[in-house]
């Protein structure tokens, strides 16, 4: 129940503040803070067709929104503000059903502040000084990385490669990143490194397998419990097993398809269920699902059909999911990076593609790994591979851009140009 109530409450807070919020369920629900906004959700329980009482999310969202609006009206402006343009928000929200407590939630702008409130039962209001009424939206985009500040993000396959770069990039731009990976040790080591460097809770490791519905469901439930909701889901986990269509084993083809294509469907399914709950109470708040695709999702890849097919197919999923999910203000886009030559897929000294291509004699005349690398770099008009910051710029663009969805954005140094 907490994993349903927390995103509804988070949506409520996002809607009122139009700024990121962290919503944490209290462990002890008995001590009710004096300033808590108390909302009765009796009206959210309805009899279904079989006569059984069940919780109706839409009815709950309505009850929550009406109660919050009434509270805002009551609380502000107050005499204590002496005419200052201050907007107040509750830092504790108690949900009840008649005499029963459903949940008590602590709220703040960042996760550490919310955790502190929960520990110390600090229920002082969250105050915001309102900008003057004539402030116009700036046309500049200075500080673009600020678009993810204090947002909640998840990166699947976040422990290494592009996923690691994206986790590092989001955390250094002020987001809280859930690093979701099959490789829990790798995710934990990276989260530890990020938190030490940032001096705050900037990353949380979670074990997840994107090919399993149970695992994906548990991942998004964990995010709802730990942060209250989500703003940005980066569906990055991907694998590559190359092979000729004449010879590739079906097992290998299916493995690639399961992670890259079906895994993207599974992640989107459970991410958007969580984002939709938030939307019910925050119709103004836009959220993002970004799939890390590939340039091989835009052009064929010789003897690599399973991979390219999974990526082409995912462009179709992106366009289709985008059409449906925009009804909940969820934008869905893919980023199609060029080759990340410095990442483990290419540069791993034992199983990296450079070693494999050298050993297989794939690049005529190449004698060393450096020769193979130089050959592939030479094929890029910009003469270098794609790197983490290149992908981060595309992520910031997509999150900041409020008027686009369903696109596949190339980041290929000019190697693939759209028609
Ligand atoms: N490396 C490149 O040159 C390149 C180029 C374009 C696009 N991409 C795409 O970028 C994404 C990341 O690729 P990379 O090369 O950085 O990969 P990588 O192999 O370096 O890392 C992949 C990560 O995903 C995790 N993972 C694998 N299967 C998983 C599963 N079922 N559930 C959860 N996690 C899982 C792994 O443990 C690993 O941490 C992929 O979608 C890939 O197709 C990569």
């Amino acid at each position: 129940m907490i994993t349903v109530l927390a995103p509804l409450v988070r949506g409520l807070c996002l809607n009122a503040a139009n700024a990121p919020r962290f919503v944490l369920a209290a462990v002890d629900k008995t001590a009710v803070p004096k300033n808590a906004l108390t909302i009765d959700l009796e009206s959210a329980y309805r009899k279904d067709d079989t006569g059984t009482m069940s919780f109706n999310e839409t009815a709950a969202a309505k009850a929550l929104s009406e109660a919050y609006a009434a509270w805002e009206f009551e609380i502000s402006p107050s005499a204590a503000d002496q005419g200052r343009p201050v907007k107040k928000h509750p830092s504790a929200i108690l949900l009840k059903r008649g005499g029963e407590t459903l949940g008590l939630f602590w709220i703040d702008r960042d996760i550490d502040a919310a955790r502190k409130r929960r520990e110390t039962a600090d229920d002082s209001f969250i105050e915001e000084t309102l900008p003057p009424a004539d402030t116009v939206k700036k046309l500049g985009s200075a500080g673009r990385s600020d678009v993810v500040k204090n947002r909640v993000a998840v990166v699947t396959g976040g422990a290494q490669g592009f996923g690691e770069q994206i986790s590092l990039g989001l955390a250094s731009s002020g987001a809280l990143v859930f690093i979701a990976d099959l490789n829990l040790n790798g995710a934990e080591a990276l989260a530890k490194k990020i938190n030490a460097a940032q001096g705050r809770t900037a990353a949380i490791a979670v074990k997840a397998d994107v090919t399993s519905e149970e695992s994906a469901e548990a991942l998004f439930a964990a995010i709802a419990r730990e942060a209250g909701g989500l703003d940005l889901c980066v569906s990055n986990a991907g694998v590559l097993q190359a092979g000729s269509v004449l010879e590739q084993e079906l097992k290998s083809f299916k493995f690639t398809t399961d992670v890259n294509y079906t895994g993207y469907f599974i992640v989107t399914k459970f991410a958007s269920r969580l984002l939709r709950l938030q939307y019910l109470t925050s119709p103004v708040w836009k959220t993002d699902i970004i799939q890390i695709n590939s340039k091989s999702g835009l052009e064929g890849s010789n003897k690599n059909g399973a991979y390219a097919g999974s990526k082409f197919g995912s462009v179709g999923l992106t366009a289709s999911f985008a059409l449906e999910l925009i009804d909940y203000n969820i934008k869905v886009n893919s980023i199609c990076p060029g080759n990340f030559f410095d990442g483990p897929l290419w540069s791993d000294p034992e199983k990296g593609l450079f070693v494999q291509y050298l050993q297989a004699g794939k690049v005529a005349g190449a004698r060393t790994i450096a020769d193979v690398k130089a050959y592939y770099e030479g094929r890029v008009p910009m003469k270098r591979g794609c790197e983490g910051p290149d992908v981060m710029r595309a992520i910031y663009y997509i999150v900041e851009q409020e008027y686009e969805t369903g696109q596949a954005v190339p980041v290929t140094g000019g190697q693939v140009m759209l028609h």
Side-chain angles (χ1 to χ4, degrees):
M1 192 63 176
I2 289 299
T3 57
V4 173
L5 294 177
L8 286 169
V9 171
R10 183 168 189 258
L12 202 60
C13 302
L14 296 171
N15 197 57
N18 200 18
R21 288 289 186 261
F22 287 79
V23 171
L24 309 187
V27 184
D28 172 16
K29 298 185 290 185
T30 51
V32 177
K34 139 173 104 37
N35 285 330
L37 160 60
T38 302
I39 304 176
D40 195 319
L41 287 181
E42 184 63 56
S43 63
Y45 287 84
R46 306 228 164 132
K47 273 199 179 135
D48 63 20
D49 298 344
T50 63
T52 326
M53 282 296 243
S54 63
F55 182 77
N56 181 295
E57 291 160 358
T58 312
K62 186 167 178 281
L64 289 167
S65 304
E66 284 173 1
Y68 198 105
W71 180 88
E72 268 191 330
F73 184 75
E74 195 182 293
I75 210 84
S76 188
S78 81
D81 297 331
Q82 298 176 332
R84 285 183 310 143
V86 172
K87 190 166 183 187
K88 291 179 185 174
H89 305 282
S91 60
I93 294 184
L94 177 70
L95 302 185
K96 306 200 78 151
R97 182 188 180 195
E100 179 198 354
T101 294
L102 299 175
L104 169 64
F105 297 92
W106 290 96
I107 301 136
D108 214 317
R109 295 182 176 92
D110 67 66
I111 191 166
D112 290 326
R115 283 176 174 177
K116 192 161 175 214
R117 279 192 189 273
R118 180 168 66 177
E119 261 166 47
T120 60
D122 170 8
D123 67 349
S124 56
F125 297 130
I126 306 167
E127 292 195 356
E128 257 169 345
T129 308
L130 298 174
D134 61 353
T135 302
V136 286
K137 263 194 175 178
K138 288 205 182 80
L139 283 174
S141 62
R144 173 168 277 175
S145 62
D146 277 357
V147 293
V148 297
K149 190 164 183 224
N150 283 337
R151 306 253 170 161
V152 183
V154 57
V155 182
T156 69
Q160 72 162 48
F162 268 142
E164 175 180 9
Q165 295 286 302
I166 296 166
S167 300
L168 285 163
L170 289 171
S172 66
S173 297
L176 171 71
V177 188
F178 286 85
I179 303 171
D181 205 293
L182 259 186
N183 172 5
L184 182 61
N185 287 342
E188 279 177 341
L190 180 60
K192 204 168 155 198
K193 183 173 122 183
I194 288 176
N195 291 335
Q198 296 295 322
R200 65 181 179 94
T201 309
I204 296 174
V206 189
K207 187 175 170 89
D209 177 357
V210 300
T211 65
S212 151
E213 289 206 288
E214 292 72 32
S215 177
E217 188 168 18
L219 166 65
F220 290 99
I223 294 171
R225 267 197 314 276
E226 297 275 337
L230 182 68
D231 301 302
L232 168 62
C233 171
V234 183
S235 179
N236 162 81
V239 294
L240 185 154
Q241 285 192 350
S244 148
V245 65
L246 302 177
E247 282 153 26
Q248 187 169 26
E249 300 275 348
L250 179 60
K251 201 170 148 213
S252 164
F253 182 91
K254 281 189 171 166
F255 170 69
T256 305
T257 311
D258 271 359
V259 180
N260 297 2
Y261 180 73
T262 313
Y264 175 37
F265 157 74
I266 290 174
V267 166
T268 303
K269 175 173 172 176
F270 292 99
S272 51
R273 284 186 180 179
L274 174 54
L275 297 175
R276 177 190 155 274
L277 278 173
Q278 258 173 208
Y279 165 83
L280 292 177
T281 42
S282 66
V284 298
W285 192 253
K286 288 195 170 58
T287 54
D288 286 273
I289 294 174
I290 299 179
Q291 185 233 4
I292 302 304
N293 198 290
S294 169
K295 73 177 171 58
S296 302
L298 301 172
E299 65 174 16
S301 184
N302 192 13
K303 296 194 177 131
N304 198 15
Y307 182 75
S310 70
K311 295 296 186 179
F312 265 76
S314 295
V315 171
L317 295 183
T318 291
S320 307
F321 296 159
L323 287 173
E324 178 180 353
L325 296 178
I326 198 58
D327 284 354
Y328 310 113
N329 255 343
I330 305 168
K331 296 179 279 151
V332 188
N333 292 282
S334 290
I335 292 173
C336 301
N339 297 323
F340 179 23
F341 294 134
D342 293 334
L345 178 79
W346 286 84
S347 285
D348 186 281
E350 279 158 30
K351 16 177 219 169
L353 292 175
F354 288 136
V355 183
Q356 288 184 41
Y357 292 169
L358 181 67
Q359 285 164 357
K362 193 167 163 171
V363 177
R367 293 181 173 193
T368 62
I369 284 176
D371 293 340
V372 183
K373 190 175 182 200
Y375 168 77
Y376 280 98
E377 282 175 340
R379 290 174 25 158
V380 183
M382 289 188 169
K383 305 291 178 222
R384 67 166 174 87
C386 183
E387 287 162 16
D390 303 316
V391 174
M392 286 314 301
R393 284 185 202 101
I395 291 177
Y396 298 137
Y397 162 73
I398 288 170
V399 174
E400 187 184 19
Q401 178 55 271
E402 295 194 353
Y403 190 57
E404 198 52 273
T405 190
Q407 302 298 334
V409 180
V411 184
T412 67
Q415 207 172 358
V416 176
M417 297 185 186
L418 297 179
H419 305 294

